[in-house]
Amino acid sequence: MRSRWGDAQRGSVTAEFAALLPAVLLLLGCCLGAVQVVGQQVRLADAAGSTARLLARGEGSGAAAGLVSGLGLNATLTVQHQGEFVCAQLRAVSAFGPFATVGLTFGARSCALAGGP
């Protein structure tokens, strides 16, 4: 014999799961997007360091631009000379869809002592 209480609760777990699932998926998407954004920033900072060292060794701006474009970051390169240092500044628009539509840009700057090995 069934009780009325059991019949009233039947299907409530399914309804709660259906209500919670979109929120969990949204949270998961935001976390994955944040990981992608941080990864892009790290790649950009690493590329800025490599580019600054390349320029400090005396390579031309063309070689530095080729390095940046070869990494597939879609970044713009700005070279600055500050005393004995050569600085490379990279700026790129976010590759993550929602942030790209807003126009979120990342930047990284690195300097190296000119005339190094």
Side-chain angles (χ1 to χ4, degrees):
M1 186 166 211
R2 289 184 168 170
S3 68
R4 289 185 174 187
W5 180 255
D7 290 340
Q9 295 296 319
R10 189 172 187 176
S12 65
V13 172
T14 304
E16 290 170 3
F17 178 74
L20 188 62
L21 185 62
V24 169
L25 291 177
L26 181 65
L27 181 64
L28 181 63
C30 288
C31 290
L32 291 175
V35 168
Q36 184 176 1
V37 165
V38 168
Q40 183 179 3
Q41 178 64 38
V42 168
R43 286 190 310 271
L44 198 63
D46 186 45
S50 297
T51 305
R53 287 188 298 275
L54 182 79
L55 290 167
R57 286 192 304 259
E59 298 289 333
S61 296
L67 173 71
V68 172
S69 66
L71 294 173
L73 296 172
N74 294 328
T76 58
L77 171 65
T78 304
V79 178
Q80 300 169 340
H81 297 275
Q82 296 180 341
E84 297 178 343
F85 292 95
V86 178
C87 299
Q89 182 173 0
L90 298 176
R91 297 195 62 76
V93 177
S94 173
F96 184 58
F99 293 148
T101 57
V102 175
L104 180 68
T105 59
F106 298 103
R109 184 174 188 260
S110 183
C111 298
L113 186 60

